[in-house]
Amino acid sequence: MTTRIQKRNRKLILDAALEVFSAQGFRGATLDQIAVEAGLSKPNLLYYFDSKEAIHKALLGELLTTWLDPLKAIDPSGDPRAEIMAYMRRKLQMSREYPRESRLFANEILQGAPRMSAFIATELKALVDGFAALIRRWSAEGRLAPVDPHHLIFSIWALTQHYADFDAQIRLIRDGADPLEGAEAHLEMLFARLLAPAQVTPPVG
Amino acid sequence: MTTRIQKRNRKLILDAALEVFSAQGFRGATLDQIAVEAGLSKPNLLYYFDSKEAIHKALLGELLTTWLDPLKAIDPSGDPRAEIMAYMRRKLQMSREYPRESRLFANEILQGAPRMSAFIATELKALVDGFAALIRRWSAEGRLAPVDPHHLIFSIWALTQHYADFDAQIRLIRDGADPLEGAEAHLEMLFARLLAPAQVTPPVG
DNA sequence: AATGATCTTGACTGAATGGTCAAGTCTGCT
DNA sequence: AGCAGACTTGACCATTCAGTCAAGATCATT
């Protein structure tokens, strides 16, 4: 049974841990930092979680479902281009709403996905395979310009997550302006053109 | 004066450090790991570099010029679309040839660019501003479809670096296949379409 | 071969850090 | 109020890790 206090403190800890792990990576984060951020003592963290590793694991576990949702929401019976655009928009929205989660993920992959390879190789891969099959079907039916499904989804991931993961760089280059300003319009155009039916490109005027 | 031995050992150390830092991040890497990787003793590393920090700094310093070269190579007097495509190709080539450098960079930015903000805010920003001005000029001259210069360059960075930075994920999803297989063709098409003159998109057949 | 400079390292130190524990405080229930 | 279980923490421990040092090995030069 979980008490009221347990619920509150677990949430405090996971939120603090997200803040610290996403900014410093697993090894860079310390329990003391997380404790301060959570407003609890270090031994108290370890009363709720067995170890630093356990906190990190719990965090990733929470994240994974959130991460898969946009992909699951693609409707195979919908309009191909509209569905892909909507997926891209959802992913961009996640960069806006959950940048820390995106960076937590990026940190993990960058370091070879040591704590996530099982998830990627099974659940995520299965979803991506399903997506790839759907794209191929749509293309075969002539409802979508032929496109490599894997590279299509990597493009969506790369372009949307970049705004969260490289936030620091973008801010420095754009004088602190909101990195996502104009991003949606840009990506709308980019994907609209990528997914448009093949056509003869007129020569440059 | 630098001796033969100094030259050799500094190179050994920097190469080992690149391997370790790019895979573990700054805090995750240890001098012992780097020493083993370099085939030298830990005190010996510290004979050649003042500190762990100094090794990392030297590494970044080396990397920075390499990193800017492709951008500097854009020829303002060349054909707009050809120049941008060539830049994208050079960046993709760097993901192929220097994936560790890309990950070192990504690690640094992810953690808020603590050791690189000066470089980004000055040198890199200046080059990007120059690029942006060039893109706007080309568009104003009607030689290039109007496109947000910043988001254009972010798109190039995101799409090319993704293959190095998220290598682990891509391999798991594609059953260990070379992540870059098919990437060039895909990005060629994507950017060709993005940069094509505006035109009426026919309705879906 | 001699010698001074360069290079190398085993053995250490101090600080940081993940984790423990026993002793206390608070909470909810009767 | 009183009690059992839940919660909290100061003090502590063991390990890891960046960095030091003094003594010895190697190298270049004559």
Side-chain angles (χ1 to χ4, degrees):
Chain A
M1 198 211 68
T2 56
T3 69
R4 199 163 35 85
I5 294 179
Q6 268 170 41
K7 218 175 164 184
R8 172 175 56 95
N9 283 354
R10 275 180 208 277
K11 194 166 160 13
L12 277 175
I13 293 169
L14 288 178
D15 198 61
L18 175 58
E19 189 69 28
V20 177
F21 280 135
S22 68
Q24 320 266 26
F26 181 76
R27 297 254 349 234
T30 71
L31 285 178
D32 290 281
Q33 283 176 293
I34 298 175
V36 168
E37 184 79 25
L40 299 172
S41 69
K42 181 168 65 167
N44 210 359
L45 298 197
L46 293 163
Y47 174 75
Y48 289 103
F49 293 90
D50 285 345
S51 63
K52 180 183 179 184
E53 180 86 31
I55 298 177
H56 193 262
K57 226 173 237 169
L59 208 50
L60 281 183
E62 270 200 342
L63 169 58
L64 296 188
T65 47
T66 316
W67 222 238
L68 295 183
D69 281 346
L71 191 51
K72 284 183 180 157
I74 293 178
D75 179 5
S77 67
D79 174 65
R81 281 198 269 161
E83 289 297 325
I84 296 169
M85 296 296 282
Y87 174 58
M88 179 276 284
R89 250 174 257 126
R90 283 194 295 273
K91 287 292 289 179
L92 189 60
Q93 185 61 15
M94 291 190 61
S95 266
R96 199 190 306 271
E97 278 180 33
Y98 306 111
R100 298 177 306 176
E101 282 83 347
S102 184
R103 286 192 283 269
L104 182 70
F105 208 94
N107 259 307
E108 203 54 23
I109 306 288
L110 250 186
Q111 324 217 333
R115 293 160 238 278
M116 267 183 31
S117 45
F119 162 78
I120 294 175
T122 58
E123 291 185 71
L124 181 55
K125 182 179 184 323
L127 275 175
V128 171
D129 285 348
F131 174 84
L134 179 60
I135 295 291
R136 283 198 204 90
R137 208 185 74 211
W138 278 341
S139 292
E141 288 169 355
R143 302 172 63 201
L144 185 69
V147 59
D148 182 302
H150 280 122
H151 289 295
L152 171 60
I153 202 166
F154 297 153
S155 293
I156 295 172
W157 292 349
L159 288 165
T160 56
Q161 291 170 16
H162 185 84
Y163 288 99
D165 301 344
F166 287 73
D167 180 88
Q169 175 174 245
I170 298 178
R171 277 178 202 282
L172 286 169
I173 286 179
R174 300 201 15 182
D175 297 307
D178 171 20
L180 277 157
E181 192 189 305
E184 175 150 1
H186 174 76
L187 294 186
E188 289 280 341
M189 183 180 79
L190 188 152
F191 281 104
R193 284 174 170 238
L194 175 62
L195 300 172
Q199 52 197 250
V200 180
T201 306
V204 183
Chain B
M1 197 209 70
T2 58
T3 69
R4 201 163 34 84
I5 294 179
Q6 269 170 39
K7 217 174 165 185
R8 173 177 54 96
N9 283 354
R10 276 180 208 277
K11 195 168 158 15
L12 277 175
I13 293 169
L14 288 177
D15 198 61
L18 176 58
E19 188 70 28
V20 178
F21 280 134
S22 69
Q24 319 266 21
F26 181 77
R27 297 250 353 229
T30 71
L31 286 178
D32 290 282
Q33 282 176 295
I34 298 174
V36 168
E37 183 79 26
L40 299 172
S41 69
K42 181 167 65 166
N44 211 359
L45 299 197
L46 293 163
Y47 174 76
Y48 290 102
F49 292 91
D50 285 346
S51 63
K52 182 183 179 183
E53 181 85 31
I55 298 177
H56 194 261
K57 225 172 238 172
L59 209 49
L60 281 183
E62 270 201 341
L63 169 57
L64 296 188
T65 47
T66 316
W67 222 240
L68 295 184
D69 280 347
L71 191 50
K72 284 184 180 156
I74 293 178
D75 179 5
S77 66
D79 173 66
R81 281 197 270 161
E83 289 296 325
I84 297 169
M85 296 296 283
Y87 174 57
M88 178 276 285
R89 251 175 256 124
R90 284 193 294 273
K91 287 292 291 178
L92 189 61
Q93 186 60 15
M94 292 192 59
S95 266
R96 199 190 307 270
E97 279 180 31
Y98 306 110
R100 297 179 306 176
E101 281 84 346
S102 184
R103 284 192 284 270
L104 182 70
F105 208 93
N107 259 307
E108 202 53 23
I109 306 288
L110 250 186
Q111 324 218 332
R115 294 161 238 279
M116 264 183 34
S117 44
F119 162 78
I120 294 175
T122 57
E123 291 185 71
L124 181 54
K125 182 180 184 322
L127 275 174
V128 171
D129 285 348
F131 174 84
L134 180 61
I135 294 292
R136 285 200 203 90
R137 208 184 73 211
W138 278 341
S139 292
E141 288 169 355
R143 300 172 64 200
L144 185 69
V147 60
D148 182 301
H150 280 121
H151 289 296
L152 171 60
I153 202 166
F154 296 153
S155 293
I156 295 173
W157 291 350
L159 287 165
T160 55
Q161 291 171 16
H162 185 84
Y163 288 99
D165 300 344
F166 286 74
D167 181 90
Q169 175 174 248
I170 298 178
R171 278 179 202 280
L172 287 168
I173 286 179
R174 301 200 14 180
D175 297 307
D178 171 21
L180 278 157
E181 193 190 305
E184 176 149 359
H186 174 76
L187 294 187
E188 289 278 344
M189 185 181 76
L190 188 152
F191 282 103
R193 285 174 170 239
L194 175 62
L195 300 173
Q199 52 197 252
V200 181
T201 309
V204 184

